[in-house]
Amino acid sequence: MLLKDRIAQLAAQAVEAAQQSGALPAGPTPEIEVERPQNPEHGDFAISLPLRLARAARMSPMAIAERLVPLTPADDSIQEVRAAAPGFINFVVKQSWLRQQVEEIIRAGETYGNLQRPTKERVQVEFASVNPTGPLHVGHARTAVLGSGLASILAAAGYDVSTEYYINDAGTQMDTFYRSLLVRYQQLMGRDAEMPESGYMGEYMNDLAGEVAAEHGDLFLADKAHAQIGEIGLEKMLAIIRKDLEDVQVTFDVWFSENGELRRRGEPAATLKYLESNGYMADREGATWFTSTSLGEDKDNVLIRSTGDPTYFALDIAYHRNKFIERGFDRVINIWGADHQGHISRMKSAVSALGIDPARLTIIVSQLVTLKRGDETVRASKRSGEIVTLRELLDEAGSDACRFFFLSRTPESQMDFDLELAKKESADNPVYYVQYAHARIAGIMALARERGLDYASGDVSLLSHEAETALIKKMVVLPELVQHMAETLEPHHLPRYATELATAFHWFYQQCRVVSEAPEEMPVTLARLKLIEACRIVLARCLSIMGMSAPERM
């Protein structure tokens, strides 16, 4: 159990004791939120419970706090419990408990920060599901990194996580892609062919057409060969997308094909039949509509066009029915691009119409990315061909910088990706700064091994310097942070924490000599080696969850 959860229990027991003794009137206890005060003078943890009890108890918050403090049960980890104006209860952790956490971190090793849950809730995270009509650009990269980072955090928090890429390999956009590829191929083969309206114009189309021509010659010169050449183009495009994602450390448990797993199994028809039988469909104006207004939406939405073709929305409803009902996920998290903002409300309504609690569906929208290269700024468009691809970004900045930078911002904020900063090898670059802390520790530990020093016998009770204490206090935050990020679905806290931990280490290193040659200082040397090995473990764990490397030399 996390210490903050234990503190919440202690506070709840104090309230119960106070109510039983008449020190507080009977009544429900609000949720007890345990926080870490920014000011260290306010203790290591604090709760504002007295402020929340004051109105119902008809007492001042300070009076409530003063009554609860002496009723708070003793605990091996807590040194002091005290009331503080205007109605807080502050908790001070025992130094002996804090130092012992160095041993606990080393014992846990690469599993440090992992949490256990009473039940293994199944969560699907679907993200980066870009139509395979072109290479991934920097905006797609952001959703990919956010999704994989969030999935990693949820797994560390004890959830059973499945990651998925939805292959939208049917519909108008794919048909346009197939026809565009056929035209480029025919042009390469000397034919006079005209690009379709809204066709895909990027240089990558020439590359794909060139590969097809080199492999298949004049096999697809017929004007109606777009379906055949399109199938080849789709496979090639998916291979490019998969490789780019793998190179930014993004992999998927499932690649789910609209054509293969959804349409061919008849799931859209089954879904529409369910909606119709439950009174959520209406025929008018030559089309079939989902009566969203009956569920509180501003307008109804078309499911079947007058042509008889299902809309994207209809297929998306079928896909979510597959997720929740056919595959039985307890929760589904979608990460969508900014252009899908207007789709959220109606999707929630559709899930409700399927008999599923819409609270089980979370949709995160990732805003646009602007790439800054010196004075130049660029946004992406696959159709126009004005595109900065993920591959270009990887080649210039590398995977680690991409992941750290994309994870550092909240999804709802628009982002400027500073390419020059990402490439800097200095403390100005947070990626370099964090990884350098890990590499510096690895170098110290290598030196210690060369000198035959074994930190295993280090006595953590000797760690009393303020910089040592500050470093330990920062290290033990990780499990709490994993819990918080899993609850709020906010990965951006992790890069910030990793930077703060690196800062705590660098300050400790400036204040405290780690390896001393003086025999009388050997006990402190071994204790500090144990401390920095624990710090290295926590830094490596942060980098691992973020999908980044933990270099031993820089």
Side-chain angles (χ1 to χ4, degrees):
M1 177 184 292
L2 297 179
L3 181 54
K4 64 179 297 186
D5 294 334
R6 176 62 182 149
I7 288 172
Q9 282 188 352
L10 296 176
Q13 291 171 14
V15 172
E16 183 179 0
Q19 290 176 339
Q20 289 178 351
S21 67
L24 286 179
T29 303
E31 181 181 356
I32 300 173
E33 298 179 356
V34 181
E35 300 178 346
R36 286 184 173 271
Q38 292 185 350
N39 186 342
E41 294 180 0
H42 297 163
D44 297 301
F45 294 93
I47 62 172
S48 59
L49 179 63
L51 294 166
R52 304 181 67 186
L53 287 169
R55 179 179 296 234
R58 296 184 178 181
M59 297 172 61
S60 74
M62 198 62 192
I64 294 173
E66 289 171 345
R67 294 188 184 193
L68 290 178
V69 165
L71 295 175
T72 303
D75 189 87
D76 291 342
S77 59
I78 303 300
Q79 178 70 38
E80 182 184 3
V81 183
R82 59 190 182 222
F88 291 92
I89 299 177
N90 296 337
F91 296 78
V92 179
V93 174
K94 286 181 179 178
Q95 291 298 302
S96 58
W97 179 89
L98 194 63
R99 293 167 188 146
Q100 186 58 33
Q101 300 316 296
V102 174
E103 303 279 12
E104 296 299 323
I105 292 169
I106 290 176
R107 187 175 298 116
E110 62 184 22
T111 66
Y112 183 69
N114 286 0
L115 307 177
Q116 298 294 323
R117 295 183 57 79
T119 57
K120 205 72 168 174
E121 188 175 356
R122 296 185 66 229
V123 180
Q124 186 214 54
V125 186
E126 184 237 318
F127 56 96
S129 301
V130 181
N131 291 341
T133 56
L136 301 177
H137 58 57
V138 293
H140 303 144
R142 185 181 191 186
T143 62
V145 170
L146 284 171
S148 65
L150 182 57
S152 183
I153 289 165
L154 289 168
Y159 293 89
D160 181 4
V161 182
S162 177
T163 56
E164 182 156 310
Y165 186 111
Y166 179 66
I167 307 171
N168 185 196
D169 51 2
T172 303
Q173 291 189 44
M174 290 309 302
D175 187 66
T176 301
F177 171 74
Y178 297 159
R179 293 181 184 279
S180 300
L181 179 58
L182 178 62
V183 167
R184 281 288 183 257
Y185 163 81
Q186 290 177 333
Q187 290 173 344
L188 283 176
M189 300 300 291
R191 286 284 185 90
D192 185 14
E194 185 176 348
M195 185 64 72
E197 184 178 355
S198 300
Y200 290 90
M201 309 292 291
E203 184 62 31
Y204 66 92
M205 294 300 292
N206 291 335
D207 296 337
L208 283 179
E211 289 183 22
V212 174
E215 295 169 9
H216 299 279
D218 61 359
L219 185 62
F220 303 113
L221 285 178
D223 290 336
K224 296 183 179 180
H226 65 277
Q228 296 93 327
I229 196 173
E231 185 174 340
I232 295 171
L234 172 63
E235 291 178 2
K236 288 182 176 295
M237 202 69 257
L238 284 173
I240 292 170
I241 290 171
R242 191 188 298 262
K243 179 65 167 61
D244 287 351
L245 288 170
E246 288 175 351
D247 287 352
V248 76
Q249 308 306 310
V250 176
T251 57
F252 292 91
D253 298 312
V254 177
W255 290 72
F256 189 98
S257 165
E258 178 185 320
N259 254 339
E261 276 86 4
L262 204 67
R263 289 182 182 245
R264 289 177 189 171
R265 293 180 182 178
E267 295 202 30
T271 301
L272 293 175
K273 183 177 180 181
Y274 178 90
L275 293 175
E276 183 179 25
S277 65
N278 285 275
Y280 290 111
M281 284 172 55
D283 293 324
R284 62 175 183 266
E285 301 173 14
T288 301
W289 297 70
F290 172 55
T291 55
S292 319
T293 49
S294 66
L295 294 164
E297 289 291 289
D298 293 336
K299 62 178 182 178
D300 293 339
N301 291 273
V302 176
L303 295 177
I304 305 295
R305 300 182 182 93
S306 58
T307 60
D309 294 326
T311 62
Y312 176 85
F313 182 46
L315 295 166
D316 215 9
I317 298 174
Y319 180 40
H320 282 77
R321 180 175 177 272
N322 174 276
K323 294 181 180 191
F324 284 111
I325 297 175
E326 299 300 323
R327 288 188 278 168
F329 287 108
D330 298 303
R331 290 175 62 196
V332 169
I333 300 168
N334 298 335
I335 301 181
W336 291 348
D339 55 342
H340 286 73
Q341 180 74 51
H343 188 50
I344 296 175
S345 179
R346 66 176 185 171
M347 194 67 249
K348 288 269 195 175
S349 295
V351 166
S352 178
L354 292 173
I356 300 159
D357 181 357
R360 292 168 59 191
L361 172 64
T362 301
I363 300 173
I364 300 171
V365 172
S366 175
Q367 292 297 330
L368 300 173
V369 177
T370 299
L371 182 66
K372 294 178 64 178
R373 187 190 283 115
D375 295 332
E376 179 187 10
T377 58
V378 183
R379 285 186 179 173
S381 168
K382 278 194 291 187
R383 287 191 186 275
S384 68
E386 295 174 3
I387 180 171
V388 178
T389 65
L390 169 56
R391 173 56 51 193
E392 290 176 281
L393 187 60
L394 282 170
D395 289 345
E396 286 201 58
S399 173
D400 286 344
C402 288
R403 294 194 64 90
F404 192 97
F405 277 53
F406 285 133
L407 287 172
S408 295
R409 297 291 300 277
T410 59
E412 61 269 17
S413 61
Q414 294 197 12
M415 179 181 181
D416 289 336
F417 190 106
D418 190 336
L419 189 57
E420 300 305 317
L421 177 61
K423 293 190 293 184
K424 273 189 177 181
E425 294 187 359
S426 73
D428 293 337
N429 179 357
V431 183
Y432 183 89
Y433 184 72
V434 171
Q435 290 181 321
Y436 181 66
H438 183 275
R440 172 174 268 181
I441 296 173
I444 297 170
M445 298 307 295
L447 174 64
R449 286 191 296 271
E450 289 176 7
R451 296 185 180 183
L453 301 178
D454 184 1
Y455 68 80
S457 61
D459 182 1
V460 295
S461 69
L462 300 176
L463 300 172
S464 58
H465 192 282
E466 63 173 333
E468 296 167 337
T469 301
L471 180 56
I472 300 171
K473 285 186 175 182
K474 185 57 66 175
M475 287 157 49
V476 300
V477 169
L478 181 60
E480 298 170 25
L481 186 65
V482 168
Q483 182 186 66
H484 176 73
M485 292 187 296
E487 290 173 350
T488 61
L489 306 182
E490 295 178 341
H492 68 274
H493 297 292
L494 189 54
R496 184 181 306 161
Y497 168 74
T499 305
E500 292 172 353
L501 179 58
T503 297
F505 166 73
H506 290 309
W507 184 63
F508 155 79
Y509 188 73
Q510 291 169 359
Q511 301 297 315
C512 302
R513 183 182 179 89
V514 178
V515 179
S516 173
E517 296 180 358
E520 66 275 13
E521 294 184 15
M522 186 55 60
V524 173
T525 289
L526 296 179
R528 286 176 175 169
L529 284 172
K530 181 171 282 188
L531 171 62
I532 67 167
E533 172 59 14
C535 182
R536 187 201 63 77
I537 289 170
V538 181
L539 281 167
R541 190 73 181 111
C542 291
L543 292 166
S544 174
I545 294 173
M546 289 190 287
M548 297 169 58
S549 63
E552 299 198 352
R553 293 184 181 86
M554 289 182 70

